[in-house]
């Protein structure tokens, strides 16, 4: 607002004289000496209205703040805000290459873009401290921005590793050889939940913005989260990607099978099955006996299944269990399962002073039937994860995926499974018969 009111032909200056001010006040309070003519009043009323219009025309509109645009840009062409055409059905397949170990992983193979992943939290590998930086053409994650120059970053939004917070700075096309600045794109995308939040598209020069569609932001979130996940595995483990692409959830979309050894927490193995950037199954196994686990990909009559086999053995007893299942509907759907329990210390004394009836604790036919089921499934399987040292040793001795219970006895390949089990039962009964009788109490 102007400090001085504009001068008009009808302006009356205010006097700074105390004497003049006193005379003016006396005239006001003394009242009129006589009534002025009606014509004069009408004329004065018109003058007041006219003066008011003149004063109102002098008010200057307040303009919004404008960014400081460099003077040398005055002669340049307007910025190119067009977006590249995207063929979503034929996007190039990314083949990233990860190098390095520990807190920093370099990523190449992104069509000329260099990226690196940094971990700032060694206690929580997927904490918000993990950040991926990249520079170059952003087409690998934002195909509509192809041909531009960008600096960007991605960071896990939360500890679950679901949502990814993305920040991209695009160089203004008018700055040839200049620094990165101009357009800012920020958003948070969660591919698993198919949600986008906290979007912000701004421009440093205020002459238009570059804005991404929701579909493209979800795609960017998927690409960047994949790079961050694989970089984490590279930092902590040797990642194996199986050549098989099953359809465990029966939706017609092939899946990827990844195994990390050691697991992200530093020991054991970590198995994940991915589909379209989303992990649909996880399993882990530890090298400690209590954490042993074995998972296989089983294919029967052209259909894919997961087979989990747990032959648990403790001193004097065993419990063997298997489960064959799919992932239909996003959940484990059991197709077939079975278990068998038996004792190997058949000479245990009964409370009455005798020995426990071995028929109650070891049924060779039941155990043989169970083992035939398991080995029939294993014969159509490939091993995905296995931390069971005894089972691994059995597979190594046999040269194939078959459990011959070699941790219990020396398997005679000239005989069937049930014959071997009957021989084993007889041998432990002979040993039990040589035990001294139970004493009193």
């Amino acid at each position: 607002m102007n400090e001085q009111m504009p001068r008009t032909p009808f302006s009356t200056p205010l006097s700074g004289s105390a004497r003049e001010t006193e005379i003016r006040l006396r005239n006001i309070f003394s009242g009129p000496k006589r009534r002025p003519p009606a014509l004069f009043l009408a004329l004065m009323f018109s003058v007041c209205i006219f003066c008011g219009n003149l004063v109102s025309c002098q008010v200057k509109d307040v303009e919004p703040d404008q960014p400081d645009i460099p003077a040398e840009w005055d002669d340049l062409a307007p910025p190119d805000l067009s977006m590249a055409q995207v063929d979503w059905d034929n996007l190039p397949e990314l083949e990233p290459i990860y190098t390095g170990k520990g807190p920093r992983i370099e990523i190449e193979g992104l069509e000329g873009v260099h990226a690196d992943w940094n971990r700032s939290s060694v206690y929580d590998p997927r904490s918000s401290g993990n950040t991926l930086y990249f520079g170059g053409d952003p087409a690998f994650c934002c195909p509509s921005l192809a041909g531009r120059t960008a600096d960007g970053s991605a960071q896990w939004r939360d500890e679950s590793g679901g949502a990814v917070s993305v920040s991209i700075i695009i160089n203004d096309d008018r700055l040839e050889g200049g620094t990165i600045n101009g357009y800012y794109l920020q958003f948070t995308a969660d591919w698993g939940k198919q949600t986008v939040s906290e979007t912000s598209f701004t421009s440093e020069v205020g002459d238009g913005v570059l804005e991404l569609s929701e579909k493209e932001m979800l795609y960017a979130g998927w690409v960047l989260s994949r790079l961050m996940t694989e970089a984490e595995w590279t930092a902590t483990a040797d990642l194996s990607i199986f050549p098989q692409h099953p359809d465990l959830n029966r939706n017609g979309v092939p899946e990827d099978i990844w195994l990390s050894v050691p697991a992200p927490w530093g020991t054991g193995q970590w198995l994940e099955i991915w589909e379209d950037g989303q992990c649909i199954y996880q399993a882990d196994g530890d090298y400690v006996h209590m954490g042993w686990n074995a998972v296989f990909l089983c294919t029967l009559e052209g259909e894919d299944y997961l087979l989990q086999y747990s032959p648990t053995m403790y001193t004097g007893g065993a419990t063997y269990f298997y489960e064959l299942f799919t992932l239909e509907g996003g959940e484990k759907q059991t197709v077939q399962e079975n278990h068998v329990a038996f004792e190997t210390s058949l000479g245990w004394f009964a409370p009455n002073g005798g020995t426990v009836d071995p028929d109650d604790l070891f049924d060779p036919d039941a155990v043989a039937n169970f083992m035939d089921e398991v080995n029939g499934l294993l014969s159509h399987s490939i091993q995905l994860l296995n931390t069971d040292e005894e089972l691994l040793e059995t597979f190594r001795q046999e040269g194939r995926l078959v459990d011959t219970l070699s941790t219990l006895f020396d398997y005679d390949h000239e005989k069937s499974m049930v014959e071997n089990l009957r021989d084993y039962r007889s041998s432990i009964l002979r040993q039990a018969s040589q035990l001294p009788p139970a004493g009193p109490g």
Side-chain angles (χ1 to χ4, degrees), residues 332-409:
K332 180 188 289 187
Q333 302 292 338
T334 302
V335 176
Q336 181 177 324
E337 63 180 344
N338 200 357
H339 74 279
V340 66
F342 56 93
E343 296 290 340
T344 59
S345 298
L346 300 184
W348 282 359
F349 300 116
N352 60 6
T355 57
V356 177
D357 185 352
D359 292 333
D360 295 336
L361 302 178
F362 195 127
D363 183 349
D365 293 288
V367 177
N369 289 336
F370 175 88
M371 297 308 303
D372 287 342
E373 287 183 22
V374 168
N375 287 328
L377 296 172
L378 289 174
S379 66
H380 296 88
S381 302
I382 63 170
Q383 180 175 279
L384 302 180
L385 175 151
N386 193 351
T387 58
D388 189 322
E389 295 179 0
E390 296 178 353
L391 189 60
L392 286 169
E393 179 60 21
T394 300
F395 292 164
R396 187 192 66 79
Q397 293 177 2
E398 298 296 328
R400 59 194 178 102
L401 299 181
V402 59
D403 190 356
T404 57
L405 300 175
S406 60
T407 56
L408 296 177
F409 53 83

Side-chain angles (χ1 to χ4, degrees), residues 129-151:
N130 288 4
T131 305
L132 177 73
Y133 300 98
F134 60 88
D137 192 328
F140 76 98
C141 64
C142 298
S144 71
L145 299 177
R148 297 183 181 274
T149 304
D151 273 351

Side-chain angles (χ1 to χ4, degrees), residues 80 182 228 361:
D80 179 13
M228 295 174 68
L361 302 178

Side-chain angles (χ1 to χ4, degrees), residues 113-129:
V113 174
H114 177 78
D116 61 78
W117 170 90
N118 295 265
R119 182 206 297 150
S120 57
S121 173
V122 297
Y123 301 104
D124 185 355
R126 281 188 168 184
S127 70
S128 59

Side-chain angles (χ1 to χ4, degrees), residues 111-278:
E111 300 182 356
V113 174
H114 177 78
D116 61 78
W117 170 90
N118 295 265
R119 182 206 297 150
S120 57
S121 173
V122 297
Y123 301 104
D124 185 355
R126 281 188 168 184
S127 70
S128 59
N130 288 4
T131 305
L132 177 73
Y133 300 98
F134 60 88
D137 192 328
F140 76 98
C141 64
C142 298
S144 71
L145 299 177
R148 297 183 181 274
T149 304
D151 273 351
S153 65
Q155 191 175 57
W156 291 119
R157 182 66 174 177
D158 49 44
E159 295 181 1
S160 65
V164 179
S165 180
V166 182
S167 178
I168 302 175
I169 307 176
I170 303 293
N171 185 33
D172 191 289
D173 294 336
R174 294 170 292 183
L175 291 180
E176 183 176 355
T179 58
I180 300 293
N181 59 27
Y183 306 99
Y184 298 84
L185 301 89
Q186 295 177 313
F187 55 90
T188 298
D190 190 325
W191 174 265
K193 296 180 180 179
Q194 290 289 290
T195 58
V196 175
S197 61
E198 302 180 13
T199 59
S200 176
F201 304 99
T202 58
S203 171
E204 188 176 80
V205 296
D207 53 3
V209 298
L210 297 172
E211 185 169 351
L212 302 178
S213 66
E214 180 177 357
K215 181 175 184 178
E216 188 163 12
M217 286 185 281
L218 287 172
Y219 176 76
W222 170 64
V223 171
L224 295 171
S225 63
R226 170 192 167 185
L227 296 176
M228 295 174 68
T229 299
E230 294 180 1
E232 165 63 26
W233 284 345
T234 302
T236 60
D238 293 328
L239 175 65
S240 298
I241 301 179
F242 288 80
Q244 291 78 14
H245 297 281
D247 184 15
L248 294 164
N249 57 10
R250 306 293 193 269
N251 66 351
V253 180
E255 297 141 357
D256 297 322
I257 306 173
W258 297 350
L259 178 68
S260 296
V261 181
W265 60 85
T267 183
Q269 299 178 10
W270 181 261
L271 176 70
E272 292 192 341
I273 297 177
W274 288 73
E275 179 185 275
D276 279 345
Q278 182 177 2

